[in-house]
Amino acid sequence: MPKGLLCIQQTGNMHFVTFLCQGRRPYLGSSKACEVFEQSLESMRICYEFVIAGYVVMPEHVHLMVNEPKKAPLAKAIQALKLSVSVRRRERPFWLPRYYDFNVHSEEKRVEKLRYMHRNPVKRGLVTKPEDWKRSSFVHYSTGLKGTVEIESFWTGWERQQAGRI
C-alpha cells in the first residue's frame, strides 16, 4: 500500500472501499466489463467469506461496502478481486495498485456511504435516478430482487459473521 494511506482492519467494522482503473480510464464502461466485475465480486465473496452490504460499478472506479473476510485479510481479498477481473480483460494495466478504505463505524456512516455510492451515477449525470443504474446494489435495496452479487444488509450480515466467531 502506498505511503500515506492508512487502513485499519480487524476491527469488526464494515469497510467502504474505493478502487480505480488505471489512469481513471473507463475500463468498466461496457456491460461485458461490468458483468465480469460482478461475477468476480460474487466469486470472491464466496471464496473469502465476506458480506457485501453495497456496491456500485462506475465506468472508471468501484465502491464497495464489505466486512472483513473470514479467510484472509481484506487487502488480500481486494487483491484477488482485482486480479480476477484484470486476467479476464484485455486492458493493461487494469487497476491502480492501491485502494481507499474507510471504516464504517456506525449506522449513520453506513447510511451515508450507501447513499453516496448509490447516488454516484446520478451525480455524474449518467442516469437521472439511482434505480436506473443497473450496476449497483440499489435495485436490491429498493425492490429486494436478487442479482449477480448477493447483498446483505449491514446488520444482518455482520451479526451472522460475528455469531460464527463466538
Side-chain angles (χ1 to χ4, degrees):
M1 177 131 323
K3 189 176 179 179
L5 292 180
L6 178 64
C7 293
I8 301 171
Q9 297 183 7
Q10 298 176 328
T11 61
N13 290 331
M14 294 293 283
H15 295 264
F16 176 72
V17 176
T18 301
F19 46 96
L20 300 112
C21 295
Q22 182 70 36
R24 294 191 67 96
R25 291 183 184 96
Y27 291 159
L28 296 166
S30 71
S31 291
K32 179 62 178 162
C34 289
E35 287 170 18
V36 166
F37 180 84
E38 288 178 320
Q39 291 165 358
S40 293
L41 178 58
E42 180 61 11
S43 293
M44 293 306 116
R45 182 194 67 76
I46 293 166
C47 179
Y48 288 94
E49 296 183 20
F50 59 88
V51 170
I52 302 168
Y55 78 98
V56 65
V57 182
M58 299 292 287
E60 72 294 324
H61 70 279
V62 174
H63 296 297
L64 304 174
M65 189 178 305
V66 298
N67 73 340
E68 294 170 0
K70 279 187 176 182
K71 297 211 170 174
L74 179 60
K76 177 83 170 170
I78 298 294
Q79 179 185 29
L81 170 60
K82 291 165 83 174
L83 180 61
S84 175
V85 172
S86 63
V87 299
R88 295 173 62 192
R89 300 293 301 166
R90 288 182 286 182
E91 300 87 351
R92 297 285 185 269
F94 196 94
W95 302 107
L96 285 175
R98 64 183 185 208
Y99 66 93
Y100 170 79
D101 180 359
F102 177 86
N103 284 46
V104 180
H105 51 80
S106 68
E107 175 67 6
E108 179 183 355
K109 283 295 178 187
R110 180 192 71 85
V111 170
E112 174 189 314
K113 295 302 185 185
L114 279 172
R115 280 187 180 150
Y116 173 82
M117 77 170 69
H118 289 149
R119 291 179 181 166
N120 203 214
V122 175
K123 183 178 178 185
R124 290 270 308 279
L126 300 172
V127 291
T128 56
K129 302 175 293 202
E131 57 267 29
D132 294 337
W133 192 253
K134 302 304 177 206
R135 302 302 181 183
S136 84
S137 53
F138 186 85
V139 172
H140 170 79
Y141 279 99
S142 64
T143 67
L145 293 174
K146 293 186 178 195
T148 303
V149 178
E150 183 177 312
I151 303 299
E152 293 191 46
S153 72
F154 172 77
W155 297 115
T156 303
W158 182 82
E159 288 168 349
R160 185 174 300 130
Q161 288 266 336
Q162 294 304 310
R165 293 179 183 183
I166 296 173

